[in-house]
Amino acid sequence: MGNRLSQIATRTGDDGTTGLSDGSRVPKDHLRVQAMGDVDELNSQLGVLLAEPLPADVRDLLVTIQHELFNLGGELSWPGGSLLKDAAVLRLDEALAHYNEHLPRLKEFILPAGTRSAAIAHVCRTVARRAERAVITLAAQETLHAAPRQYLNRLSDLLFVLARVLNRANLDGLGGDDVYWQSERMKRLDTAES
């Protein structure tokens, strides 16, 4: 690994191509590279979230997720390869069940708002959805394992749940609860009850 990163600016991409883990080169706008880029952006956004005050258990979970996303990106850069383990998807399922069981049921849609950490978690959620779409698009053209797609799907769900958890943690004093969408239906119900 040490020799892999000994030179960052290689200039080999100046022709508009990039190297994959198997040694092949593809255009930088290739579907595989786009999916890799979306996963990289998601991991970077999680880094921004980790710069915020967070409950220790959430921080530990997000650090693990960052490592697993690196595996996912590595798998995408290796046509036919497999790095992301099924256990990673199971870990997200378990985290979803754990964090969701302590939250009240939603009666209405919520806005991506509240505390700064919750809002950043929502940004991460939307990037996870985009990365998932990029992986699905790539899988329509090339054979991929199911784990990357499943992982990104679960992760976006988990980030939604964690945003709700972070609003309740209220570590910056700006939240405390979900920010509910004020739908026309709810306004009519509220008016009828008054």
Side-chain angles (χ1 to χ4, degrees), residues 13-45:
D14 288 352
D15 65 353
T17 66
T18 192
L20 299 179
S21 295
D22 66 356
S24 64
R25 296 198 67 78
V26 295
K28 289 186 178 183
D29 64 352
H30 189 279
L31 293 176
R32 184 173 293 277
V33 177
Q34 289 177 23
M36 290 164 37
D38 287 342
V39 170
D40 186 35
E41 182 181 349
L42 171 58
N43 213 342
S44 296
Q45 287 289 352

mmCIF file of all heavy atoms in Angstrom, residues 13-45:
data_model
loop_
_atom_site.group_PDB
_atom_site.id
_atom_site.type_symbol
_atom_site.label_atom_id
_atom_site.label_comp_id
_atom_site.label_asym_id
_atom_site.label_seq_id
_atom_site.Cartn_x
_atom_site.Cartn_y
_atom_site.Cartn_z
ATOM 1 N N GLY A 13 -3.813 10.801 -16.125
ATOM 2 C CA GLY A 13 -5.206 11.120 -16.401
ATOM 3 C C GLY A 13 -5.389 12.350 -17.262
ATOM 4 O O GLY A 13 -6.518 12.762 -17.542
ATOM 5 N N ASP A 14 -4.299 12.942 -17.688
ATOM 6 C CA ASP A 14 -4.400 14.142 -18.519
ATOM 7 C C ASP A 14 -5.100 13.881 -19.845
ATOM 8 O O ASP A 14 -5.594 14.806 -20.484
ATOM 9 C CB ASP A 14 -3.002 14.732 -18.793
ATOM 10 C CG ASP A 14 -2.403 15.393 -17.557
ATOM 11 O OD1 ASP A 14 -3.116 15.541 -16.540
ATOM 12 O OD2 ASP A 14 -1.207 15.755 -17.611
ATOM 13 N N ASP A 15 -5.163 12.628 -20.265
ATOM 14 C CA ASP A 15 -5.833 12.302 -21.525
ATOM 15 C C ASP A 15 -7.327 12.046 -21.330
ATOM 16 O O ASP A 15 -8.018 11.641 -22.267
ATOM 17 C CB ASP A 15 -5.170 11.088 -22.191
ATOM 18 C CG ASP A 15 -5.315 9.802 -21.387
ATOM 19 O OD1 ASP A 15 -5.817 9.844 -20.236
ATOM 20 O OD2 ASP A 15 -4.919 8.743 -21.916
ATOM 21 N N GLY A 16 -7.831 12.265 -20.099
ATOM 22 C CA GLY A 16 -9.262 12.082 -19.849
ATOM 23 C C GLY A 16 -9.635 10.673 -19.431
ATOM 24 O O GLY A 16 -10.813 10.331 -19.393
ATOM 25 N N THR A 17 -8.628 9.855 -19.099
ATOM 26 C CA THR A 17 -8.905 8.497 -18.635
ATOM 27 C C THR A 17 -8.397 8.344 -17.207
ATOM 28 O O THR A 17 -7.608 9.149 -16.718
ATOM 29 C CB THR A 17 -8.219 7.437 -19.528
ATOM 30 O OG1 THR A 17 -6.804 7.555 -19.409
ATOM 31 C CG2 THR A 17 -8.662 7.580 -20.977
ATOM 32 N N THR A 18 -8.844 7.270 -16.561
ATOM 33 C CA THR A 18 -8.357 6.945 -15.223
ATOM 34 C C THR A 18 -8.154 5.448 -15.126
ATOM 35 O O THR A 18 -8.776 4.674 -15.869
ATOM 36 C CB THR A 18 -9.327 7.443 -14.126
ATOM 37 O OG1 THR A 18 -8.692 7.350 -12.851
ATOM 38 C CG2 THR A 18 -10.627 6.658 -14.112
ATOM 39 N N GLY A 19 -7.275 5.056 -14.240
ATOM 40 C CA GLY A 19 -6.960 3.642 -14.077
ATOM 41 C C GLY A 19 -7.856 2.978 -13.047
ATOM 42 O O GLY A 19 -8.180 3.562 -12.017
ATOM 43 N N LEU A 20 -8.262 1.752 -13.346
ATOM 44 C CA LEU A 20 -9.029 0.946 -12.401
ATOM 45 C C LEU A 20 -8.083 -0.027 -11.695
ATOM 46 O O LEU A 20 -6.934 -0.183 -12.095
ATOM 47 C CB LEU A 20 -10.139 0.193 -13.139
ATOM 48 C CG LEU A 20 -11.179 1.062 -13.849
ATOM 49 C CD1 LEU A 20 -12.199 0.194 -14.569
ATOM 50 C CD2 LEU A 20 -11.867 2.008 -12.868
ATOM 51 N N SER A 21 -8.578 -0.683 -10.669
ATOM 52 C CA SER A 21 -7.742 -1.579 -9.860
ATOM 53 C C SER A 21 -7.207 -2.766 -10.637
ATOM 54 O O SER A 21 -6.190 -3.346 -10.257
ATOM 55 C CB SER A 21 -8.535 -2.078 -8.654
ATOM 56 O OG SER A 21 -8.839 -1.005 -7.807
ATOM 57 N N ASP A 22 -7.865 -3.138 -11.712
ATOM 58 C CA ASP A 22 -7.387 -4.275 -12.512
ATOM 59 C C ASP A 22 -6.363 -3.846 -13.568
ATOM 60 O O ASP A 22 -5.930 -4.649 -14.390
ATOM 61 C CB ASP A 22 -8.561 -4.998 -13.178
ATOM 62 C CG ASP A 22 -9.281 -4.149 -14.219
ATOM 63 O OD1 ASP A 22 -8.941 -2.959 -14.393
ATOM 64 O OD2 ASP A 22 -10.212 -4.683 -14.855
ATOM 65 N N GLY A 23 -5.975 -2.571 -13.552
ATOM 66 C CA GLY A 23 -4.988 -2.071 -14.501
ATOM 67 C C GLY A 23 -5.567 -1.497 -15.781
ATOM 68 O O GLY A 23 -4.851 -0.874 -16.561
ATOM 69 N N SER A 24 -6.861 -1.701 -16.014
ATOM 70 C CA SER A 24 -7.484 -1.148 -17.224
ATOM 71 C C SER A 24 -7.692 0.355 -17.059
ATOM 72 O O SER A 24 -7.668 0.891 -15.947
ATOM 73 C CB SER A 24 -8.811 -1.853 -17.508
ATOM 74 O OG SER A 24 -9.737 -1.595 -16.465
ATOM 75 N N ARG A 25 -7.901 1.027 -18.171
ATOM 76 C CA ARG A 25 -8.152 2.472 -18.161
ATOM 77 C C ARG A 25 -9.511 2.709 -18.816
ATOM 78 O O ARG A 25 -9.862 2.052 -19.798
ATOM 79 C CB ARG A 25 -7.049 3.234 -18.896
ATOM 80 C CG ARG A 25 -5.692 3.075 -18.201
ATOM 81 C CD ARG A 25 -4.697 4.120 -18.609
ATOM 82 N NE ARG A 25 -5.015 5.461 -18.186
ATOM 83 C CZ ARG A 25 -4.837 5.953 -16.952
ATOM 84 N NH1 ARG A 25 -4.363 5.187 -16.004
ATOM 85 N NH2 ARG A 25 -5.121 7.201 -16.675
ATOM 86 N N VAL A 26 -10.257 3.640 -18.243
ATOM 87 C CA VAL A 26 -11.576 3.997 -18.773
ATOM 88 C C VAL A 26 -11.696 5.515 -18.795
ATOM 89 O O VAL A 26 -10.988 6.215 -18.067
ATOM 90 C CB VAL A 26 -12.719 3.384 -17.913
ATOM 91 C CG1 VAL A 26 -12.703 1.861 -17.972
ATOM 92 C CG2 VAL A 26 -12.654 3.871 -16.482
ATOM 93 N N PRO A 27 -12.605 6.047 -19.630
ATOM 94 C CA PRO A 27 -12.822 7.495 -19.624
ATOM 95 C C PRO A 27 -13.322 7.952 -18.250
ATOM 96 O O PRO A 27 -14.029 7.218 -17.559
ATOM 97 C CB PRO A 27 -13.911 7.708 -20.685
ATOM 98 C CG PRO A 27 -13.908 6.462 -21.516
ATOM 99 C CD PRO A 27 -13.434 5.360 -20.624
ATOM 100 N N LYS A 28 -12.955 9.158 -17.876
ATOM 101 C CA LYS A 28 -13.345 9.673 -16.563
ATOM 102 C C LYS A 28 -14.847 9.890 -16.426
ATOM 103 O O LYS A 28 -15.343 10.030 -15.309
ATOM 104 C CB LYS A 28 -12.582 10.966 -16.255
ATOM 105 C CG LYS A 28 -11.124 10.716 -15.979
ATOM 106 C CD LYS A 28 -10.412 11.975 -15.545
ATOM 107 C CE LYS A 28 -8.949 11.658 -15.223
ATOM 108 N NZ LYS A 28 -8.226 12.830 -14.725
ATOM 109 N N ASP A 29 -15.575 9.903 -17.544
ATOM 110 C CA ASP A 29 -17.031 10.015 -17.463
ATOM 111 C C ASP A 29 -17.727 8.659 -17.584
ATOM 112 O O ASP A 29 -18.938 8.584 -17.744
ATOM 113 C CB ASP A 29 -17.575 11.002 -18.497
ATOM 114 C CG ASP A 29 -17.332 10.558 -19.931
ATOM 115 O OD1 ASP A 29 -16.608 9.553 -20.161
ATOM 116 O OD2 ASP A 29 -17.865 11.217 -20.841
ATOM 117 N N HIS A 30 -16.973 7.576 -17.480
ATOM 118 C CA HIS A 30 -17.517 6.221 -17.518
ATOM 119 C C HIS A 30 -18.466 6.025 -16.336
ATOM 120 O O HIS A 30 -18.270 6.602 -15.261
ATOM 121 C CB HIS A 30 -16.352 5.223 -17.448
ATOM 122 C CG HIS A 30 -16.732 3.805 -17.683
ATOM 123 N ND1 HIS A 30 -17.289 3.007 -16.709
ATOM 124 C CD2 HIS A 30 -16.628 3.039 -18.794
ATOM 125 C CE1 HIS A 30 -17.511 1.812 -17.194
ATOM 126 N NE2 HIS A 30 -17.116 1.792 -18.472
ATOM 127 N N LEU A 31 -19.509 5.226 -16.541
ATOM 128 C CA LEU A 31 -20.479 4.984 -15.468
ATOM 129 C C LEU A 31 -19.812 4.464 -14.204
ATOM 130 O O LEU A 31 -20.221 4.817 -13.090
ATOM 131 C CB LEU A 31 -21.549 3.994 -15.936
ATOM 132 C CG LEU A 31 -22.493 4.473 -17.037
ATOM 133 C CD1 LEU A 31 -23.425 3.342 -17.464
ATOM 134 C CD2 LEU A 31 -23.289 5.679 -16.590
ATOM 135 N N ARG A 32 -18.794 3.641 -14.338
ATOM 136 C CA ARG A 32 -18.088 3.103 -13.170
ATOM 137 C C ARG A 32 -17.415 4.229 -12.392
ATOM 138 O O ARG A 32 -17.460 4.281 -11.167
ATOM 139 C CB ARG A 32 -17.076 2.046 -13.605
ATOM 140 C CG ARG A 32 -16.364 1.360 -12.454
ATOM 141 C CD ARG A 32 -15.504 0.203 -12.947
ATOM 142 N NE ARG A 32 -16.282 -0.884 -13.490
ATOM 143 C CZ ARG A 32 -16.865 -1.847 -12.771
ATOM 144 N NH1 ARG A 32 -16.760 -1.827 -11.461
ATOM 145 N NH2 ARG A 32 -17.535 -2.808 -13.356
ATOM 146 N N VAL A 33 -16.783 5.139 -13.098
ATOM 147 C CA VAL A 33 -16.083 6.253 -12.449
ATOM 148 C C VAL A 33 -17.093 7.203 -11.804
ATOM 149 O O VAL A 33 -16.847 7.734 -10.714
ATOM 150 C CB VAL A 33 -15.172 6.976 -13.459
ATOM 151 C CG1 VAL A 33 -14.486 8.178 -12.818
ATOM 152 C CG2 VAL A 33 -14.139 6.004 -14.031
ATOM 153 N N GLN A 34 -18.232 7.395 -12.455
ATOM 154 C CA GLN A 34 -19.269 8.242 -11.855
ATOM 155 C C GLN A 34 -19.766 7.640 -10.552
ATOM 156 O O GLN A 34 -19.935 8.349 -9.558
ATOM 157 C CB GLN A 34 -20.415 8.447 -12.840
ATOM 158 C CG GLN A 34 -20.031 9.335 -14.006
ATOM 159 C CD GLN A 34 -21.153 9.490 -15.020
ATOM 160 O OE1 GLN A 34 -22.313 9.317 -14.715
ATOM 161 N NE2 GLN A 34 -20.779 9.826 -16.246
ATOM 162 N N ALA A 35 -20.001 6.328 -10.530
ATOM 163 C CA ALA A 35 -20.445 5.666 -9.297
ATOM 164 C C ALA A 35 -19.369 5.773 -8.221
ATOM 165 O O ALA A 35 -19.672 6.068 -7.048
ATOM 166 C CB ALA A 35 -20.790 4.202 -9.586
ATOM 167 N N MET A 36 -18.118 5.555 -8.592
ATOM 168 C CA MET A 36 -17.020 5.691 -7.632
ATOM 169 C C MET A 36 -16.963 7.111 -7.069
ATOM 170 O O MET A 36 -16.757 7.302 -5.861
ATOM 171 C CB MET A 36 -15.685 5.350 -8.308
ATOM 172 C CG MET A 36 -15.520 3.893 -8.653
ATOM 173 S SD MET A 36 -14.182 3.525 -9.850
ATOM 174 C CE MET A 36 -12.882 4.643 -9.434
ATOM 175 N N GLY A 37 -17.167 8.096 -7.927
ATOM 176 C CA GLY A 37 -17.132 9.487 -7.488
ATOM 177 C C GLY A 37 -18.255 9.825 -6.529
ATOM 178 O O GLY A 37 -18.054 10.556 -5.550
ATOM 179 N N ASP A 38 -19.443 9.281 -6.785
ATOM 180 C CA ASP A 38 -20.569 9.536 -5.879
ATOM 181 C C ASP A 38 -20.331 8.892 -4.516
ATOM 182 O O ASP A 38 -20.657 9.475 -3.477
ATOM 183 C CB ASP A 38 -21.881 9.035 -6.488
ATOM 184 C CG ASP A 38 -22.376 9.919 -7.624
ATOM 185 O OD1 ASP A 38 -21.921 11.082 -7.726
ATOM 186 O OD2 ASP A 38 -23.208 9.449 -8.417
ATOM 187 N N VAL A 39 -19.737 7.707 -4.498
ATOM 188 C CA VAL A 39 -19.404 7.054 -3.220
ATOM 189 C C VAL A 39 -18.326 7.848 -2.497
ATOM 190 O O VAL A 39 -18.393 8.037 -1.275
ATOM 191 C CB VAL A 39 -18.985 5.583 -3.452
ATOM 192 C CG1 VAL A 39 -18.402 4.963 -2.190
ATOM 193 C CG2 VAL A 39 -20.182 4.774 -3.949
ATOM 194 N N ASP A 40 -17.344 8.350 -3.234
ATOM 195 C CA ASP A 40 -16.292 9.176 -2.642
ATOM 196 C C ASP A 40 -16.888 10.458 -2.048
ATOM 197 O O ASP A 40 -16.525 10.873 -0.940
ATOM 198 C CB ASP A 40 -15.238 9.497 -3.699
ATOM 199 C CG ASP A 40 -14.033 10.232 -3.144
ATOM 200 O OD1 ASP A 40 -13.640 9.966 -1.987
ATOM 201 O OD2 ASP A 40 -13.473 11.070 -3.871
ATOM 202 N N GLU A 41 -17.805 11.079 -2.782
ATOM 203 C CA GLU A 41 -18.453 12.290 -2.266
ATOM 204 C C GLU A 41 -19.244 11.981 -0.999
ATOM 205 O O GLU A 41 -19.214 12.750 -0.030
ATOM 206 C CB GLU A 41 -19.372 12.897 -3.318
ATOM 207 C CG GLU A 41 -20.038 14.179 -2.852
ATOM 208 C CD GLU A 41 -20.989 14.772 -3.888
ATOM 209 O OE1 GLU A 41 -21.001 14.329 -5.050
ATOM 210 O OE2 GLU A 41 -21.746 15.689 -3.501
ATOM 211 N N LEU A 42 -19.947 10.867 -0.985
ATOM 212 C CA LEU A 42 -20.689 10.465 0.208
ATOM 213 C C LEU A 42 -19.745 10.296 1.392
ATOM 214 O O LEU A 42 -20.025 10.790 2.499
ATOM 215 C CB LEU A 42 -21.442 9.159 -0.067
ATOM 216 C CG LEU A 42 -22.095 8.470 1.126
ATOM 217 C CD1 LEU A 42 -23.086 9.395 1.824
ATOM 218 C CD2 LEU A 42 -22.772 7.179 0.660
ATOM 219 N N ASN A 43 -18.629 9.628 1.179
ATOM 220 C CA ASN A 43 -17.671 9.428 2.255
ATOM 221 C C ASN A 43 -17.123 10.761 2.752
ATOM 222 O O ASN A 43 -16.951 10.967 3.958
ATOM 223 C CB ASN A 43 -16.537 8.508 1.790
ATOM 224 C CG ASN A 43 -16.004 7.645 2.899
ATOM 225 O OD1 ASN A 43 -16.205 7.906 4.079
ATOM 226 N ND2 ASN A 43 -15.296 6.603 2.536
ATOM 227 N N SER A 44 -16.891 11.688 1.840
ATOM 228 C CA SER A 44 -16.407 13.017 2.223
ATOM 229 C C SER A 44 -17.461 13.775 3.017
ATOM 230 O O SER A 44 -17.141 14.464 3.996
ATOM 231 C CB SER A 44 -16.010 13.809 0.972
ATOM 232 O OG SER A 44 -14.936 13.177 0.319
ATOM 233 N N GLN A 45 -18.718 13.668 2.606
ATOM 234 C CA GLN A 45 -19.801 14.324 3.357
ATOM 235 C C GLN A 45 -19.925 13.729 4.760
ATOM 236 O O GLN A 45 -20.209 14.438 5.720
ATOM 237 C CB GLN A 45 -21.129 14.208 2.605
ATOM 238 C CG GLN A 45 -21.230 15.087 1.392
ATOM 239 C CD GLN A 45 -21.354 16.568 1.731
ATOM 240 O OE1 GLN A 45 -21.520 16.975 2.874
ATOM 241 N NE2 GLN A 45 -21.249 17.395 0.716
#
